[in-house]
Amino acid sequence: MARKHIFYDQEATYFVTISVVYWIDVFTREEYRNIVLESLKYCQKEKGLNIHAYVIMSNHIHLIISKELHINISDILRDFKKYTSKSIIKSIQNNVVESRKEWMLWMFQRAGQKNTRNKKYQFWQQHNHPVLLDTSEKLQQRLDYTHDNPIKAGIVQDAKYYLYSSASNYHGMKYNLLEVDVLG
């Protein structure tokens, strides 16, 4: 059963975690991470999503977001998750070098069978658990948490060197994969 978490204040800034079902390490491959990045860019350009911070880990994504336009944040995330899930599953199906293909598709199908709202596969966990960042302390804590994820996972020693994160944006570095609205 899905847990319902609501974005009560549509004008606020939120911390959101989006996780792959069963915590499957899908984003170890660049092509799957790139689907996420391209979809986030689309949401920025076409849906008014403001991304203030992000990190793409092996099996989940952290975002600090707000929005510009009249579209609800929950609708933007719903569309993002729907598009990326279909695109990533299709990419897995078509990937001739994906050694985990059969196992991953079986796991996504298994998760989909447990959810009556799915036709076949479920890629993302249903809940996002938005956290309202209504104080500067909460905001800084979640920003640090987001950027420190690759350090805690043992991937890098300095967050600004993790390519799939906005930490480099906050340090004025030039190799940013995604433009972010840096919080001052």
Side-chain angles (χ1 to χ4, degrees):
M1 185 167 141
R3 293 180 267 183
K4 285 288 185 186
H5 297 284
I6 299 172
F7 294 90
Y8 288 105
D9 182 354
Q10 288 295 315
E11 306 309 314
T13 300
Y14 287 91
F15 171 82
V16 178
T17 300
I18 305 172
S19 304
V20 178
V21 294
Y22 304 121
W23 294 93
I24 298 170
D25 291 323
V26 174
F27 302 119
T28 55
R29 295 206 186 270
E30 182 180 20
E31 70 182 272
Y32 309 143
R33 292 189 303 258
N34 287 341
I35 291 170
V36 169
L37 285 170
E38 291 307 313
S39 186
L40 288 172
K41 288 176 187 177
Y42 177 85
C43 289
Q44 287 175 305
K45 183 178 177 188
E46 302 298 329
K47 296 183 177 266
L49 181 67
N50 293 323
I51 300 173
H52 304 288
Y54 75 95
V55 67
I56 302 173
M57 299 300 291
S58 65
N59 53 25
H60 66 283
I61 301 165
H62 293 301
L63 300 169
I64 296 179
I65 57 174
S66 61
K67 60 129 185 139
E68 291 177 4
L69 303 175
H70 61 281
I71 302 172
N72 287 335
I73 294 175
S74 57
D75 292 344
I76 295 171
L77 288 180
R78 178 202 62 218
D79 294 348
F80 166 80
K81 288 171 72 173
K82 183 177 181 180
Y83 174 80
T84 54
S85 66
K86 287 181 179 183
S87 297
I88 293 168
I89 287 173
K90 184 177 181 181
S91 186
I92 291 169
Q93 289 170 327
N94 295 328
N95 189 338
V96 295
V97 298
E98 179 58 75
S99 60
R100 307 165 299 157
K101 179 191 308 192
E102 300 304 321
W103 173 77
M104 285 194 297
L105 293 173
W106 178 74
M107 292 296 285
F108 298 140
Q109 187 173 31
R110 189 172 155 213
Q113 291 170 346
K114 293 179 181 180
N115 182 352
T116 57
R117 297 182 347 177
N118 284 340
K119 292 183 178 149
K120 186 163 184 175
Y121 298 111
Q122 181 168 335
F123 181 81
W124 297 111
Q125 294 179 20
Q126 283 193 271
H127 57 282
N128 303 317
H129 191 69
V131 176
L132 177 64
L133 302 179
D134 55 354
T135 67
S136 58
E137 292 81 18
K138 281 185 190 178
L139 184 61
Q140 190 61 53
Q141 188 274 335
R142 295 300 172 143
L143 184 62
D144 292 343
Y145 179 83
T146 298
H147 289 158
D148 289 346
N149 243 237
I151 296 170
K152 291 178 182 170
I155 299 169
V156 294
Q157 291 183 333
D158 190 329
K160 67 186 174 198
Y161 296 116
Y162 185 63
L163 188 59
Y164 293 92
S165 167
S166 58
S168 63
N169 301 73
Y170 281 80
H171 287 89
M173 299 176 84
K174 302 287 184 206
Y175 61 84
N176 309 323
L177 296 178
L178 184 64
E179 293 298 317
V180 298
D181 297 314
V182 174
L183 297 165

